[in-house]
Amino acid sequence: MVEQGLIRAAQSGDRDALITLLREIEQHVYRTAFYILNNEQDALDASQEALIRIYTKIDSYEEKAQFKTWIQRIVTNICIDKFRRTKPTVSIDEHELVFQDKQNVEKEVLSSYLAQDIQEAIDQLPEHHRTVIVLRYLQDFSYNEIADCLNLPLNTVKSYLFRARQQLQNMLQEHQKGGVSG
């Protein structure tokens, strides 16, 4: 993700290195915040707060943990705090459909509804299950990286993922039974 030399330079007080470092990670930070909070404005707020915290705490990073995991822990904790303070909202603008090929409109509509159903199901998960699902399947973290990031035992991460997948499967099956099926 980021070169260790750049991290060391930022830690030693090189302002240009720190700014370069923050620019390299800002998309990753935003993407994580958006997946957890599912709201653009909240994700922007959380990202900004996370980048400021990384900026002020860069000297506390120790190389015994992966830099990616250290960043993820900061972002995740900020998002969890933000989620606890506010209830999630859904913007109508985020759900507009744009069709690229008029031949595949039906396929695109069904795909869009499926993606929306999955996101809604993820949003209904308990906070700890939602977080591990986001880290594993949307951020592609390994089980060990998730355990490090959330400061949980590896077996707890596995258990959370197992239960979250079961809950998602049940919710999506219930939705399909009660809704339109393709």
Side-chain angles (χ1 to χ4, degrees):
M1 180 176 178
V2 177
E3 291 181 31
Q4 288 294 334
L6 184 61
I7 297 168
R8 285 188 201 108
Q11 287 180 309
S12 68
D14 182 340
R15 189 172 187 276
D16 292 334
L18 183 56
I19 290 169
T20 301
L21 176 68
L22 292 172
R23 284 192 177 132
E24 283 190 25
I25 64 172
E26 71 182 330
Q27 285 292 71
H28 173 75
V29 168
Y30 171 78
R31 191 170 42 249
T32 299
F34 184 78
Y35 285 139
I36 293 174
L37 299 170
N38 195 30
N39 177 291
E40 183 178 1
Q41 193 58 50
D42 289 344
L44 287 169
D45 291 346
S47 299
Q48 184 176 14
E49 189 176 334
L51 290 170
I52 290 169
R53 191 165 301 165
I54 291 165
Y55 178 86
T56 59
K57 303 278 187 188
I58 189 70
D59 54 342
S60 70
Y61 166 70
E62 298 175 5
E63 289 187 29
K64 54 186 169 182
Q66 287 186 22
F67 187 66
K68 171 173 104 170
T69 305
W70 184 74
I71 291 169
Q72 197 66 45
R73 182 177 293 148
I74 290 171
V75 176
T76 303
N77 287 340
I78 288 171
C79 289
I80 288 170
D81 289 345
K82 188 168 204 49
F83 189 78
R84 286 178 181 157
R85 286 191 306 258
T86 62
K87 292 189 176 192
T89 59
V90 177
S91 168
I92 294 172
D93 297 334
E94 294 173 12
H95 297 286
E96 290 182 16
L97 295 175
V98 178
F99 301 112
Q100 303 297 332
D101 180 3
K102 292 180 182 175
Q103 302 296 327
N104 293 322
V105 171
E106 183 179 351
K107 204 179 245 186
E108 287 187 41
V109 168
L110 291 175
S111 176
S112 173
Y113 281 126
L114 178 60
Q116 184 177 348
D117 291 347
I118 292 170
Q119 184 61 52
E120 287 174 3
I122 290 172
D123 290 345
Q124 292 176 28
L125 290 173
E127 177 184 303
H128 55 284
H129 288 169
R130 180 179 336 108
T131 302
V132 294
I133 287 290
V134 166
L135 294 176
R136 178 69 184 120
Y137 296 107
L138 302 177
Q139 293 295 346
D140 201 31
F141 271 49
S142 71
Y143 289 4
N144 287 328
E145 289 172 330
I146 295 169
D148 287 345
C149 174
L150 299 177
N151 202 25
L152 294 171
L154 181 60
N155 285 335
T156 302
V157 170
K158 290 178 182 180
S159 174
Y160 283 179
L161 280 167
F162 177 77
R163 289 186 186 122
R165 284 191 301 261
Q166 281 184 319
Q167 289 175 323
L168 284 173
Q169 185 177 17
N170 291 339
M171 283 188 267
L172 291 170
Q173 284 174 347
E174 285 299 315
H175 182 74
Q176 188 177 28
K177 287 178 190 174
V180 178
S181 57

